[in-house]
Amino acid sequence: MQNKAINVLLIDDDDLNNLISTRYIKKYFANSNITACLNGKIAIDLIAEKKATQPSFGYDYILLDLHMPVMNGWEFLENYTYLSMAGKEKCEVFLLTSSVHDEDKLRASNYPFIKDYIIKPLFSDKICKIFNLVE
C-alpha cells in the first residue's frame, strides 16, 4: 500500500469496470482521488471545469476506454490533445480497453502521450504495470 495520494480519471461507459478499477487502485493507493466518467464528453467537460475552477489541479493518470457512446476514446484523445491544463505533461494516459484489434493498437501509437495499451479487465498485475509497483 502506498501513502501517496494520486488523482486518477477513469473514462469508461461500464460502471462495473469503473468499480473494479477503483477497488484495485484503492488497494494500492488508499488515499487516491478517483473520478469516473461514463464517456469522453463528460471527461472533457470535467477537465475544462477543473481548469477553470482549480487551475493548479492536474490528473496523474487517465485510464481511457475506446468504445463508448456520446464521445468515444478516440474523440476524447483528439480533444485532449488540444487542451492546455496544469500538469498535463506529467499525466500518464493508458488505454484500458477490450479491443484487441491491431488497427486500434496502431492508431494508439499515433499519440505520443499514451503510455500503454492495456486489455481489460484490470487486475493486480496490470495495476502494478501502470503504477510501476512491485507486488
Side-chain angles (χ1 to χ4, degrees):
M1 170 105 40
Q2 306 286 318
N3 287 328
K4 179 181 171 187
I6 58 173
N7 293 312
V8 180
L9 180 59
L10 301 175
I11 309 170
D12 192 326
D13 63 322
D14 186 326
D15 282 323
L16 182 58
N17 278 324
N18 288 331
L19 177 65
I20 290 168
S21 296
T22 298
R23 285 197 176 161
Y24 272 112
I25 294 167
K26 290 276 190 184
K27 176 181 174 184
Y28 294 98
F29 297 94
N31 298 326
S32 56
N33 174 28
I34 303 170
T35 304
C37 296
L38 296 175
N39 65 61
K41 172 87 169 86
I42 295 169
I44 288 292
D45 290 347
L46 176 67
I47 291 169
E49 178 184 317
K50 290 274 189 193
K51 180 182 165 192
T53 60
Q54 300 174 44
S56 64
F57 179 87
Y59 288 100
D60 299 302
Y61 299 90
I62 295 176
L63 305 182
L64 175 65
D65 187 20
L66 291 177
H67 303 289
M68 298 173 285
V70 184
M71 180 186 283
N72 66 33
W74 300 120
E75 294 165 323
F76 171 84
L77 289 169
E78 283 302 310
N79 282 275
Y80 182 77
T81 298
Y82 299 105
L83 279 179
S84 63
M85 60 186 241
K88 182 178 171 185
E89 67 283 348
K90 295 177 186 173
C91 180
E92 296 190 13
V93 179
F94 291 85
L95 294 184
L96 182 60
T97 180
S98 57
S99 174
V100 295
H101 300 293
D102 288 335
E103 310 85 57
D104 285 339
K105 291 177 185 176
L106 181 61
R107 188 173 177 186
S109 69
N110 292 324
Y111 296 92
F113 56 84
I114 293 178
K115 300 297 181 190
D116 206 350
Y117 189 103
I118 297 172
I119 304 299
K120 290 188 224 179
L122 194 61
F123 291 119
S124 288
D125 61 328
K126 294 174 185 175
I127 285 287
C128 290
K129 183 178 180 180
I130 291 171
F131 298 107
N132 294 315
L133 301 171
V134 178
E135 237 187 348

Coordinates of all heavy atoms in Angstrom, one line a residue, residues 19-77:
L19 N -16.0 0.3 -11.2 CA -15.9 -0.1 -9.8 C -14.7 -1.0 -9.6 O -14.0 -0.9 -8.6 CB -17.2 -0.9 -9.5 CG -17.3 -1.5 -8.1 CD1 -17.3 -0.4 -7.0 CD2 -18.6 -2.4 -8.0
I20 N -14.5 -2.0 -10.5 CA -13.3 -2.9 -10.4 C -12.0 -2.1 -10.4 O -11.1 -2.3 -9.5 CB -13.3 -4.0 -11.5 CG1 -14.5 -4.9 -11.3 CG2 -12.0 -4.7 -11.5 CD1 -14.8 -5.8 -12.4
S21 N -11.9 -1.2 -11.3 CA -10.7 -0.4 -11.4 C -10.5 0.5 -10.1 O -9.4 0.5 -9.6 CB -10.8 0.6 -12.6 OG -10.8 -0.2 -13.8
T22 N -11.5 1.1 -9.7 CA -11.5 1.8 -8.4 C -11.0 1.0 -7.3 O -10.1 1.4 -6.5 CB -12.8 2.5 -8.1 OG1 -13.1 3.4 -9.2 CG2 -12.8 3.3 -6.8
R23 N -11.6 -0.2 -7.1 CA -11.2 -1.1 -6.0 C -9.7 -1.5 -6.1 O -9.0 -1.5 -5.1 CB -12.1 -2.3 -5.9 CG -13.4 -1.9 -5.4 CD -14.2 -3.1 -5.0 NE -15.5 -2.7 -4.4 CZ -16.5 -3.4 -4.2 NH1 -16.4 -4.7 -4.6 NH2 -17.6 -3.0 -3.7
Y24 N -9.3 -1.8 -7.3 CA -7.9 -2.2 -7.4 C -6.9 -1.1 -7.2 O -5.9 -1.2 -6.5 CB -7.6 -2.8 -8.8 CG -7.8 -4.3 -8.8 CD1 -8.9 -4.8 -9.6 CD2 -7.0 -5.2 -8.1 CE1 -9.1 -6.2 -9.6 CE2 -7.2 -6.5 -8.2 CZ -8.3 -7.1 -8.9 OH -8.5 -8.4 -8.9
I25 N -7.2 0.1 -7.6 CA -6.4 1.3 -7.4 C -6.4 1.6 -5.9 O -5.3 1.9 -5.3 CB -6.9 2.5 -8.2 CG1 -6.7 2.2 -9.7 CG2 -6.1 3.8 -7.8 CD1 -7.4 3.2 -10.7
K26 N -7.5 1.6 -5.3 CA -7.6 1.9 -3.8 C -6.8 0.8 -3.0 O -6.4 1.1 -1.9 CB -9.1 1.9 -3.4 CG -9.8 3.1 -3.9 CD -9.6 4.3 -3.0 CE -10.5 5.5 -3.3 NZ -10.2 6.6 -2.6
K27 N -6.7 -0.4 -3.5 CA -6.0 -1.4 -2.8 C -4.5 -1.0 -2.6 O -3.9 -1.3 -1.6 CB -6.0 -2.7 -3.6 CG -5.2 -3.9 -3.0 CD -5.3 -5.1 -3.9 CE -4.4 -6.2 -3.4 NZ -4.4 -7.4 -4.3
Y28 N -4.0 -0.3 -3.7 CA -2.6 0.1 -3.6 C -2.4 1.6 -3.2 O -1.3 1.9 -2.7 CB -1.9 -0.1 -5.0 CG -1.9 -1.6 -5.4 CD1 -2.8 -2.2 -6.2 CD2 -0.8 -2.4 -4.9 CE1 -2.7 -3.5 -6.5 CE2 -0.8 -3.7 -5.2 CZ -1.7 -4.3 -6.0 OH -1.7 -5.6 -6.3
F29 N -3.4 2.4 -3.5 CA -3.3 3.8 -3.2 C -4.6 4.2 -2.4 O -5.5 4.8 -3.0 CB -3.2 4.7 -4.4 CG -1.9 4.4 -5.2 CD1 -1.9 3.5 -6.3 CD2 -0.8 5.1 -4.9 CE1 -0.7 3.3 -7.0 CE2 0.4 4.9 -5.6 CZ 0.4 3.9 -6.6
A30 N -4.6 3.9 -1.1 CA -5.8 4.2 -0.4 C -6.2 5.7 -0.4 O -7.4 6.0 -0.3 CB -5.6 3.7 1.1
N31 N -5.3 6.6 -0.5 CA -5.6 8.0 -0.5 C -5.9 8.6 -1.8 O -5.9 9.8 -2.0 CB -4.4 8.8 0.2 CG -4.2 8.3 1.6 OD1 -5.2 8.0 2.3 ND2 -3.0 8.3 2.1
S32 N -6.0 7.7 -2.8 CA -6.2 8.2 -4.2 C -7.6 8.9 -4.4 O -8.5 8.6 -3.7 CB -6.1 7.1 -5.2 OG -7.0 6.1 -4.9
N33 N -7.6 9.9 -5.3 CA -8.8 10.6 -5.7 C -9.2 10.1 -7.1 O -8.5 10.4 -8.0 CB -8.6 12.1 -5.7 CG -9.7 12.9 -6.2 OD1 -10.9 12.4 -6.1 ND2 -9.4 14.0 -6.8
I34 N -10.2 9.3 -7.1 CA -10.6 8.6 -8.4 C -11.9 9.2 -8.9 O -12.9 9.2 -8.1 CB -10.7 7.1 -8.2 CG1 -9.3 6.6 -7.7 CG2 -11.1 6.5 -9.6 CD1 -9.4 5.1 -7.3
T35 N -12.0 9.7 -10.1 CA -13.2 10.2 -10.7 C -13.5 9.3 -11.9 O -12.6 9.1 -12.7 CB -13.0 11.6 -11.1 OG1 -12.6 12.4 -10.0 CG2 -14.3 12.2 -11.7
A36 N -14.8 8.9 -12.0 CA -15.2 8.0 -13.1 C -16.1 8.8 -14.0 O -17.1 9.5 -13.5 CB -15.8 6.8 -12.7
C37 N -15.9 8.8 -15.3 CA -16.8 9.5 -16.3 C -17.3 8.4 -17.3 O -16.5 7.5 -17.7 CB -16.0 10.5 -17.1 SG -15.5 11.9 -16.0
L38 N -18.5 8.4 -17.6 CA -19.1 7.4 -18.5 C -18.9 7.6 -20.0 O -19.3 6.8 -20.7 CB -20.6 7.2 -18.1 CG -20.9 6.8 -16.7 CD1 -22.4 6.7 -16.4 CD2 -20.3 5.4 -16.5
N39 N -18.3 8.7 -20.3 CA -18.0 8.9 -21.7 C -16.9 10.1 -21.8 O -16.7 10.8 -20.9 CB -19.2 9.2 -22.6 CG -19.9 10.4 -22.3 OD1 -19.4 11.5 -22.4 ND2 -21.2 10.3 -21.9
G40 N -16.4 10.2 -23.0 CA -15.3 11.2 -23.2 C -15.8 12.6 -23.1 O -15.1 13.5 -22.6
K41 N -17.1 12.9 -23.4 CA -17.6 14.2 -23.3 C -17.7 14.7 -21.9 O -17.3 15.8 -21.6 CB -19.0 14.3 -24.0 CG -19.8 15.6 -23.8 CD -19.5 16.6 -24.8 CE -20.4 17.8 -24.8 NZ -20.0 18.8 -23.9
I42 N -18.2 13.8 -21.0 CA -18.2 14.2 -19.6 C -16.8 14.4 -19.1 O -16.6 15.4 -18.3 CB -18.9 13.0 -18.8 CG1 -20.4 12.9 -19.2 CG2 -18.8 13.3 -17.3 CD1 -21.1 11.6 -18.7
A43 N -15.9 13.6 -19.5 CA -14.5 13.8 -19.1 C -13.9 15.1 -19.5 O -13.3 15.8 -18.8 CB -13.6 12.6 -19.5
I44 N -14.1 15.4 -20.8 CA -13.6 16.7 -21.4 C -14.2 17.9 -20.6 O -13.5 18.8 -20.2 CB -13.8 16.8 -22.9 CG1 -12.9 15.9 -23.6 CG2 -13.7 18.2 -23.4 CD1 -11.4 16.2 -23.6
D45 N -15.5 17.8 -20.4 CA -16.2 18.9 -19.7 C -15.7 19.0 -18.2 O -15.5 20.1 -17.7 CB -17.7 18.6 -19.6 CG -18.4 18.8 -21.0 OD1 -17.7 19.4 -21.9 OD2 -19.5 18.4 -21.2
L46 N -15.4 17.9 -17.6 CA -14.9 17.9 -16.2 C -13.5 18.5 -16.2 O -13.2 19.3 -15.3 CB -14.8 16.5 -15.7 CG -14.2 16.3 -14.3 CD1 -15.1 17.0 -13.2 CD2 -14.0 14.9 -13.9
I47 N -12.6 18.1 -17.1 CA -11.3 18.7 -17.2 C -11.4 20.2 -17.4 O -10.6 21.0 -16.8 CB -10.5 18.0 -18.3 CG1 -10.2 16.6 -17.9 CG2 -9.2 18.8 -18.6 CD1 -9.6 15.7 -19.1
A48 N -12.2 20.7 -18.3 CA -12.4 22.1 -18.6 C -12.9 22.8 -17.3 O -12.4 23.9 -17.0 CB -13.4 22.3 -19.7
E49 N -13.8 22.2 -16.6 CA -14.3 22.8 -15.3 C -13.2 22.9 -14.3 O -13.0 23.9 -13.6 CB -15.5 21.9 -14.8 CG -16.1 22.4 -13.5 CD -17.1 21.5 -13.0 OE1 -18.0 21.0 -13.8 OE2 -17.1 21.2 -11.8
K50 N -12.4 21.8 -14.1 CA -11.3 21.8 -13.2 C -10.3 22.9 -13.5 O -9.8 23.6 -12.7 CB -10.6 20.5 -13.2 CG -11.4 19.3 -12.6 CD -11.2 19.3 -11.1 CE -11.8 18.0 -10.5 NZ -11.9 18.1 -9.1
K51 N -10.0 23.0 -14.8 CA -9.1 24.0 -15.3 C -9.6 25.4 -14.9 O -8.8 26.3 -14.5 CB -8.9 23.9 -16.8 CG -8.0 24.9 -17.4 CD -7.9 24.7 -18.9 CE -7.3 26.0 -19.5 NZ -7.4 26.0 -21.0
A52 N -10.9 25.7 -15.0 CA -11.5 27.0 -14.7 C -11.5 27.3 -13.2 O -11.3 28.4 -12.8 CB -12.9 27.1 -15.3
T53 N -11.9 26.2 -12.4 CA -12.1 26.5 -11.0 C -10.9 26.1 -10.1 O -10.7 26.7 -9.0 CB -13.3 25.6 -10.5 OG1 -13.0 24.2 -10.7 CG2 -14.6 26.0 -11.2
Q54 N -10.0 25.2 -10.6 CA -8.8 24.9 -9.9 C -7.6 24.8 -10.8 O -7.2 23.7 -11.2 CB -9.0 23.5 -9.2 CG -10.2 23.4 -8.2 CD -10.4 22.0 -7.8 OE1 -9.4 21.2 -7.5 NE2 -11.6 21.5 -7.8
P55 N -7.1 25.9 -11.2 CA -6.1 26.0 -12.3 C -4.8 25.2 -12.0 O -4.2 24.7 -13.0 CB -5.7 27.5 -12.4 CG -6.9 28.2 -11.8 CD -7.5 27.3 -10.8
S56 N -4.5 24.9 -10.8 CA -3.3 24.1 -10.5 C -3.6 22.6 -10.4 O -2.6 21.9 -10.3 CB -2.7 24.6 -9.2 OG -3.6 24.4 -8.1
F57 N -4.8 22.2 -10.5 CA -5.2 20.8 -10.4 C -4.7 20.1 -11.7 O -4.9 20.6 -12.8 CB -6.7 20.6 -10.2 CG -7.1 19.2 -10.1 CD1 -7.1 18.5 -8.9 CD2 -7.5 18.5 -11.2 CE1 -7.4 17.2 -8.8 CE2 -7.9 17.2 -11.2 CZ -7.8 16.5 -10.0
G58 N -4.2 18.9 -11.5 CA -3.9 18.0 -12.7 C -4.1 16.6 -12.3 O -4.0 16.2 -11.2
Y59 N -4.5 15.8 -13.3 CA -4.6 14.3 -13.1 C -3.2 13.7 -13.2 O -2.4 14.1 -14.1 CB -5.6 13.7 -14.1 CG -7.0 14.1 -13.8 CD1 -7.6 15.1 -14.5 CD2 -7.7 13.4 -12.8 CE1 -8.9 15.4 -14.2 CE2 -9.0 13.8 -12.5 CZ -9.6 14.8 -13.2 OH -10.9 15.1 -12.9
D60 N -3.0 12.7 -12.4 CA -1.7 12.0 -12.5 C -1.9 10.8 -13.6 O -0.9 10.5 -14.3 CB -1.4 11.3 -11.2 CG -1.2 12.4 -10.1 OD1 -0.3 13.3 -10.3 OD2 -1.9 12.4 -9.1
Y61 N -3.1 10.3 -13.7 CA -3.3 9.2 -14.6 C -4.7 9.3 -15.2 O -5.6 9.7 -14.5 CB -3.3 7.8 -13.8 CG -1.9 7.5 -13.2 CD1 -1.7 7.9 -11.9 CD2 -0.9 6.8 -13.9 CE1 -0.4 7.7 -11.3 CE2 0.3 6.6 -13.3 CZ 0.5 7.0 -12.0 OH 1.8 6.8 -11.5
I62 N -4.8 8.9 -16.5 CA -6.1 8.8 -17.1 C -6.1 7.4 -17.7 O -5.2 6.9 -18.4 CB -6.3 9.8 -18.2 CG1 -6.3 11.2 -17.7 CG2 -7.6 9.5 -19.0 CD1 -6.4 12.3 -18.7
L63 N -7.2 6.6 -17.3 CA -7.4 5.3 -17.9 C -8.6 5.4 -18.8 O -9.7 5.7 -18.3 CB -7.7 4.3 -16.8 CG -6.6 4.2 -15.7 CD1 -6.9 3.1 -14.7 CD2 -5.2 3.9 -16.3
L64 N -8.4 5.2 -20.1 CA -9.4 5.5 -21.1 C -9.9 4.3 -21.9 O -9.0 3.6 -22.5 CB -8.8 6.5 -22.0 CG -9.6 7.0 -23.3 CD1 -10.8 7.7 -22.9 CD2 -8.7 7.8 -24.2
D65 N -11.2 4.1 -21.9 CA -11.8 3.1 -22.8 C -11.9 3.7 -24.2 O -12.0 4.9 -24.3 CB -13.1 2.7 -22.2 CG -13.8 1.5 -23.0 OD1 -13.1 0.8 -23.7 OD2 -15.0 1.4 -22.9
L66 N -12.0 2.8 -25.2 CA -12.1 3.3 -26.6 C -13.5 3.4 -27.0 O -13.9 4.4 -27.7 CB -11.3 2.5 -27.5 CG -9.8 2.6 -27.4 CD1 -9.1 1.6 -28.4 CD2 -9.3 4.0 -27.6
H67 N -14.3 2.4 -26.7 CA -15.7 2.3 -27.3 C -16.7 2.7 -26.3 O -17.0 2.0 -25.3 CB -15.9 0.9 -27.8 CG -14.9 0.5 -28.8 ND1 -14.8 1.0 -30.1 CD2 -13.8 -0.4 -28.7 CE1 -13.8 0.5 -30.7 NE2 -13.2 -0.3 -29.9
M68 N -17.2 3.9 -26.5 CA -18.3 4.5 -25.6 C -19.2 5.3 -26.4 O -18.9 5.8 -27.5 CB -17.6 5.4 -24.5 CG -16.6 4.8 -23.6 SD -15.8 6.0 -22.6 CE -14.6 6.8 -23.8
P69 N -20.4 5.5 -25.9 CA -21.4 6.4 -26.5 C -21.0 7.8 -26.3 O -20.2 8.2 -25.5 CB -22.7 6.0 -25.9 CG -22.3 5.6 -24.5 CD -21.0 4.9 -24.6
V70 N -21.7 8.7 -27.0 CA -21.6 10.2 -27.0 C -20.3 10.6 -27.5 O -20.2 11.3 -28.5 CB -21.9 10.7 -25.6 CG1 -21.8 12.2 -25.6 CG2 -23.2 10.2 -25.0
M71 N -19.2 10.4 -26.8 CA -17.8 10.7 -27.3 C -16.9 9.5 -26.9 O -16.7 9.2 -25.7 CB -17.3 12.0 -26.6 CG -15.9 12.3 -27.1 SD -15.1 13.7 -26.2 CE -16.0 15.1 -27.0
N72 N -16.4 8.8 -27.9 CA -15.6 7.6 -27.7 C -14.2 8.0 -27.3 O -13.8 9.2 -27.3 CB -15.6 6.7 -28.9 CG -15.0 7.2 -30.1 OD1 -14.0 8.0 -30.1 ND2 -15.5 6.9 -31.3
G73 N -13.3 7.0 -27.0 CA -12.0 7.3 -26.6 C -11.1 8.0 -27.7 O -10.3 8.9 -27.3
W74 N -11.3 7.7 -28.9 CA -10.6 8.4 -30.0 C -11.0 9.9 -30.1 O -10.1 10.8 -30.2 CB -10.8 7.8 -31.4 CG -10.4 6.3 -31.4 CD1 -11.2 5.3 -31.7 CD2 -9.1 5.8 -31.2 NE1 -10.5 4.1 -31.6 CE2 -9.2 4.4 -31.3 CE3 -7.9 6.4 -30.8 CZ2 -8.1 3.6 -31.1 CZ3 -6.8 5.6 -30.7 CH2 -6.9 4.2 -30.8
E75 N -12.3 10.2 -29.9 CA -12.7 11.6 -29.9 C -12.2 12.3 -28.7 O -11.8 13.5 -28.8 CB -14.2 11.6 -30.0 CG -14.8 11.1 -31.3 CD -16.3 10.8 -31.3 OE1 -16.8 10.3 -30.2 OE2 -16.9 11.0 -32.3
F76 N -12.2 11.6 -27.6 CA -11.6 12.2 -26.3 C -10.1 12.6 -26.6 O -9.7 13.7 -26.3 CB -11.7 11.3 -25.1 CG -10.9 11.7 -24.0 CD1 -11.5 12.7 -23.1 CD2 -9.6 11.3 -23.7 CE1 -10.8 13.1 -22.0 CE2 -8.9 11.8 -22.7 CZ -9.5 12.7 -21.8
L77 N -9.4 11.7 -27.2 CA -8.0 11.9 -27.4 C -7.7 13.1 -28.3 O -6.8 13.9 -28.1 CB -7.3 10.7 -28.0 CG -7.1 9.5 -27.0 CD1 -6.7 8.2 -27.8 CD2 -6.1 9.8 -25.9

